[in-house]
């Protein structure tokens, strides 16, 4: 999504310390132009093709999220089961957050691309738009991770302790939990407003994020540790909860084979499969940026980044590219991992491999309506 700027490591010590006043910017611009003329510094401005790639990815993300929203809204309106309705409320909120987080930062990045991006001497600076863009990336980065963690914990409680879940989890409490998640992410994103960390333009001048590469201070390190720590902790908790839910459903399957009346319900299996899809997507898309950010800020603060500065710039750009795909792939979890789609996949696999339903018997086509009727009758 972003074009890279390339610097010779031998030239980086020649760059002056930039100040925020106009005189410092003029001196910095003259110094950088001198390096460009000498050939010691190569700056590749964002190209039109880069803007086209951003626009195409935004379009794909918007279409994916809208389709997922239609599917979830339709499922929510037809849902009578309270546990499933709670899950759908979480899922719809997640897709809405992904949609908003895809459009707002994407529009600002496109604007920076079309304006040619900021010049190299302004990479360590910040303005109002940079503050908003950096805060948006932190906010819309933490929200999906927090929501995925909350959804995994809710399903873990629903699968392992259904009676306790029915007494504790309600729509009102779910909405309160969502508000707390949004508020917590907003508080973290606004820390730089209180001088607790800072957002700066990042190479190649078309996006903003927490200061991690140069001029880092204790508050910047603390800010990155907080952001990455919260994100990685959310992923770890989701992994544990989904593992417990999955093992519980497998044991329920074995009990059914042994003649027990307690068995895994198809809607529980569907929700856990979707949660695993969300977790895998989040791990693949967000873990690199969280880890690269920690690595970069630690090496920058200790002064050991040195000649590896260009490598860490590349890692950060790779990380943010992967992170943007999380908001594109998340909706496809709900589009593809539905019972109707999974049932068709199962039937195709059964026909191809000659299976008789010994492994995935619970996913027989007739099991879906029957399990729903039993659940409704019990209610």
């Amino acid at each position: 999504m972003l074009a890279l700027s390339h610097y010779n490591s031998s030239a980086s010590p020649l760059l002056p310390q930039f100040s925020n006043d106009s005189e410092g910017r003029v001196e910095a611009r003259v110094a950088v132009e001198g390096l460009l003329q000498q050939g010691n510094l190569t700056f590749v401005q964002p190209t039109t093709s880069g803007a086209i790639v951003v626009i195409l990815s935004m379009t794909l993300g918007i279409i994916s999220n809208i389709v997922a929203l239609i599917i979830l809204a339709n499922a929510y309106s037809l849902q009578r089961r309270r546990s499933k309705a709670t899950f759908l409320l979480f899922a719809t909120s997640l897709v809405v957050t992904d949609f908003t987080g895809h459009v707002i930062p994407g529009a600002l990045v496109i604007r920076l691309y079309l304006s040619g991006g900021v010049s190299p001497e302004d990479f360590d600076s910040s303005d109002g738009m940079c503050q908003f863009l950096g805060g948006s990336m932190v906010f819309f980065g933490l929200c999906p991770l927090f929501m995925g963690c909350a959804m995994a914990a809710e399903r873990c409680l629903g699968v392992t302790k259904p009676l306790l879940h029915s007494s504790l989890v309600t729509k009102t409490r779910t909405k309160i939990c969502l508000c707390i998640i949004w508020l917590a992410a907003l508080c973290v994103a606004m820390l730089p407003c209180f001088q607790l960390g800072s957002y700066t333009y990042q190479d190649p001048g078309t996006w903003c994020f927490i200061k991690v590469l140069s001029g880092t201070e204790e508050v910047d390190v603390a800010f990155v540790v907080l952001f990455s720590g919260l994100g990685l902790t959310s992923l770890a908790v989701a992994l544990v909860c989904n593992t417990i839910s999955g093992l519980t459903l497998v044991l329920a399957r074995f009990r059914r084979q042994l003649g027990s009346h307690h068995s895994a319900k198809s809607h529980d299996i569907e929700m856990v499969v979707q949660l695993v899809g969300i977790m895998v997507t989040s791990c693949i898309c967000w873990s690199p940026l969280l880890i690269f950010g920690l690595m970069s800020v630690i090496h920058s603060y200790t002064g050991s980044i040195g000649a590896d500065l260009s490598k860490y710039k590349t890692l950060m750009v790779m990380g943010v590219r992967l992170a943007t795909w999380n908001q594109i792939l998340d909706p496809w979890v709900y589009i593809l991992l539905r019972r109707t789609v999974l049932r068709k996949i199962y039937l195709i696999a059964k026909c191809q491999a000659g299976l008789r339903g010994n492994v995935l018997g619970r996913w027989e086509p007739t099991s879906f309506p029957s399990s729903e009727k039993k659940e409704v009758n019990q209610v």
Side-chain angles (χ1 to χ4, degrees):
M1 185 180 76
L2 301 171
L4 284 174
S5 300
H6 304 283
Y7 296 88
N8 279 347
S9 59
S10 60
S12 58
L14 299 176
L15 290 174
Q17 297 294 324
F18 304 131
S19 60
N20 292 327
D21 57 3
S22 59
E23 182 180 355
R25 291 180 183 273
V26 172
E27 294 177 355
R29 187 178 298 276
V30 171
V32 172
E33 288 177 354
L35 292 174
L36 288 170
Q37 293 175 357
Q38 296 172 10
N40 294 326
L41 180 65
T42 302
F43 173 62
V44 180
Q45 289 188 340
T47 60
T48 304
S49 61
I52 294 175
V53 172
V54 177
I55 294 173
L56 290 177
S57 66
M58 274 193 64
T59 304
L60 176 61
I62 290 172
I63 294 174
S64 301
N65 281 278
I66 290 176
V67 172
L69 277 175
I70 293 173
I71 292 174
L72 288 171
N74 182 60
Y76 186 81
S77 63
L78 299 176
Q79 190 54 242
R80 297 179 181 178
R81 191 180 299 110
R82 191 173 70 177
S83 62
K84 180 68 172 179
T86 301
F87 178 84
L88 290 175
L89 182 58
F90 268 120
T92 304
S93 301
L94 176 60
V95 173
V96 170
T97 304
D98 279 338
F99 176 79
T100 309
H102 193 68
V103 172
I104 294 178
L108 296 177
V109 170
I110 290 176
R111 178 182 175 182
L112 286 171
Y113 260 105
L114 296 179
S115 64
V118 300
S119 53
E121 67 270 15
D122 292 328
F123 282 178
D124 290 331
S125 66
S126 180
D127 53 23
M129 188 175 72
C130 181
Q131 293 288 330
F132 183 77
L133 178 55
S136 297
M137 292 193 63
V138 171
F139 175 79
F140 291 114
L142 288 178
C143 281
L145 299 179
F146 287 167
M147 288 183 184
C149 177
M151 293 168 68
E154 184 269 335
R155 271 299 81 210
C156 182
L157 181 63
V159 170
T160 58
K161 303 290 183 181
L163 295 179
L164 180 61
H165 177 274
S166 62
S167 62
L168 289 181
V169 180
T170 63
K171 289 184 181 179
T172 301
R173 291 176 178 174
T174 301
K175 293 176 182 178
I176 293 175
C177 180
L178 287 170
C179 291
I180 292 175
I181 288 174
W182 286 320
L183 181 60
L186 181 62
C187 289
V188 175
M190 293 185 66
L191 285 178
C193 296
F194 304 96
Q195 305 303 316
L196 300 175
S198 58
Y199 298 119
T200 59
Y201 284 104
Q202 306 287 327
D203 185 60
T206 55
W207 63 294
C208 290
F209 194 60
I210 307 170
K211 182 187 290 187
V212 295
L213 292 174
S214 61
T216 53
E217 301 176 356
E218 291 85 352
V219 290
D220 298 313
V221 177
F223 190 21
V224 176
V225 170
L226 176 64
F227 173 72
S228 298
L230 289 173
L232 293 173
T233 300
S234 299
L235 291 174
V237 173
L239 175 62
V240 172
C241 292
N242 287 330
T243 301
I244 294 174
S245 300
L247 291 176
T248 302
L249 292 176
V250 171
L251 291 176
R253 166 66 181 169
F254 287 153
R255 294 193 193 101
R256 178 175 179 270
Q257 290 180 340
L258 295 176
S260 173
H261 295 290
H262 301 284
S263 61
K265 297 181 177 62
S266 61
H267 69 272
D268 285 331
I269 298 175
E270 178 192 31
M271 287 186 283
V272 171
V273 168
Q274 289 179 344
L275 283 175
V276 171
I278 294 172
M279 181 191 65
V280 171
T281 301
S282 298
C283 287
I284 294 175
C285 294
W286 273 104
S287 293
L289 182 61
L290 298 174
I291 295 173
F292 294 160
L294 275 176
M295 292 170 52
S296 300
V297 76
I298 291 174
H299 284 84
S300 174
Y301 180 71
T302 57
S304 59
I305 197 166
D308 295 329
L309 179 60
S310 60
K311 181 184 74 173
Y312 284 103
K313 287 180 178 179
T314 303
L315 290 177
M316 289 298 296
V317 173
M318 290 174 56
V320 77
R321 284 175 173 173
L322 284 173
T324 57
W325 275 95
N326 181 77
Q327 295 154 341
I328 299 175
L329 297 177
D330 262 352
W332 288 98
V333 172
Y334 306 106
I335 296 172
L336 297 179
L337 299 184
R338 291 176 292 147
R339 277 182 291 174
T340 54
V341 178
L342 292 172
R343 182 174 56 191
K344 292 178 181 179
I345 294 175
Y346 167 71
L347 291 175
I348 293 174
K350 181 178 178 180
C351 293
Q352 293 294 328
L355 298 177
R356 299 300 178 184
N358 294 328
V359 179
L360 299 174
R362 188 62 188 174
W363 289 91
E364 289 285 354
T366 57
S367 68
F368 297 108
S370 63
S371 65
E372 293 179 355
K373 292 178 181 178
K374 291 179 182 178
E375 185 71 10
V376 172
N377 292 333
Q378 290 177 359
V379 174

